[in-house]
Amino acid sequence: DAGVTQSPTHLIKTRGQQVTLRCSPKSGHDTVSWYQQALGQGPQFIFQYYEEEERQRGNFPDRFSGHQFPNYSSELNVNALLLGDSALYLCASSGDRGFQETQYFGPGTRLLVL
Amino acid sequence: RKEVEQDPGPFNVPEGATVAFNCTYSNSASQSFFWYRQDCRKEPKLLMSVYSSGNEDGRFTAQLNRASQYISLLIRDSKLSDSATYLCVVIPPSSKVTFGIGTKLQVIP
């Protein structure tokens, strides 16, 4: 049973560029959440997708956008990258009770913005 | 006041010791609470949910104190393998998951 997978594992970009991160949820899960974890901090909730719609959103600017596909996989897009966007980006999947279900995290994508 | 507060530590404890972490939250209407464990450069993994009645899983005990708005995690008979960062998670009525900064535990031989 495959767990949550994310790609790529590492990424280096320069300021102003755009990036797309990908996530495949755990088998049987239909809800995907994205988090940003800066060094020495806890994960910060970006948004959650369910049934291809953004269901909840944290305090992140519109530069952060996402998408969920019919197969429940998801993408996180960040435009106009800033140095402060350097972080570990985590994807978590869960069942349709959303946050009331246990969330399973993927290994993350480490993004470095130069 | 932060929504969720944790002492970042580090807590350095000898093997076999008992150690406890607290996590305070600001929204009294919060309903769901969890403890996650995160190893260095790895993803967080669920350690245990926290129920009003308290719950225990082997050497780990989690408790919720609604009156004082905090959750706790107690680890008995610490092992070297318990060394990690322990993240508390609070889900307020808005359902926007909020993680604490995490408490770093280092178990020393």
Side-chain angles (χ1 to χ4, degrees):
Chain A
D1 177 23
V4 180
T5 60
Q6 291 186 244
S7 64
T9 57
H10 296 79
L11 205 51
I12 300 175
K13 292 285 189 178
T14 57
R15 278 179 298 176
Q17 285 190 309
Q18 178 266 342
V19 68
T20 298
L21 310 181
R22 296 176 177 82
C23 171
S24 290
K26 183 177 168 66
S27 178
H29 285 178
D30 56 10
T31 302
V32 173
S33 302
W34 286 93
Y35 296 83
Q36 178 195 69
Q37 186 174 24
L39 198 61
Q41 302 296 316
Q44 299 293 309
F45 172 67
I46 302 175
F47 41 54
Q48 183 184 76
Y49 276 85
Y50 171 67
E51 292 189 340
E52 302 179 51
E53 298 277 340
E54 183 183 288
R55 181 157 71 174
Q56 285 284 350
R57 188 177 183 92
N59 298 323
F60 278 81
D62 292 345
R63 297 188 297 110
F64 290 77
S65 63
H67 188 77
Q68 186 177 35
F69 299 94
N71 67 353
Y72 309 123
S73 67
S74 177
E75 288 182 350
L76 164 66
N77 301 292
V78 187
N79 294 323
L81 284 167
L82 303 173
L83 296 180
D85 294 332
S86 296
L88 176 67
Y89 288 85
L90 294 160
C91 167
S93 73
S94 56
D96 66 3
R97 290 179 61 217
F99 298 120
Q100 307 310 317
E101 296 262 357
T102 297
Q103 292 194 65
Y104 292 84
F105 283 84
T109 294
R110 293 190 182 277
L111 173 65
L112 177 62
V113 182
L114 301 176
Chain B
R1 183 183 174 185
K2 287 185 179 178
E3 292 181 76
V4 177
E5 292 200 67
Q6 285 185 262
D7 182 341
F11 284 58
N12 297 312
V13 302
E15 268 186 294
T18 295
V19 62
F21 310 131
N22 283 344
C23 169
T24 59
Y25 59 95
S26 60
N27 190 326
S28 60
S30 297
Q31 293 295 322
S32 300
F33 309 88
F34 304 88
W35 282 103
Y36 277 75
R37 170 193 169 128
Q38 187 172 27
D39 293 291
C40 188
R41 301 185 70 78
K42 298 284 189 181
E43 72 273 21
K45 292 186 178 177
L46 180 69
L47 182 64
M48 52 201 310
S49 303
V50 186
Y51 304 120
S52 296
S53 55
N55 47 307
E56 187 174 313
D57 182 4
R59 299 182 292 109
F60 298 82
T61 301
Q63 292 192 314
L64 167 63
N65 185 317
R66 286 195 182 275
S68 300
Q69 294 179 215
Y70 73 87
I71 63 173
S72 63
L73 177 67
L74 182 77
I75 306 175
R76 289 180 297 278
D77 189 22
S78 299
K79 312 290 184 191
L80 294 177
S81 58
D82 294 334
S83 297
T85 295
Y86 292 83
L87 298 156
C88 74
V89 176
V90 176
I91 302 179
S94 67
S95 293
K96 294 181 182 178
V97 176
T98 305
F99 277 79
I101 194 173
T103 297
K104 186 171 182 179
L105 171 66
Q106 185 69 47
V107 181
I108 303 165

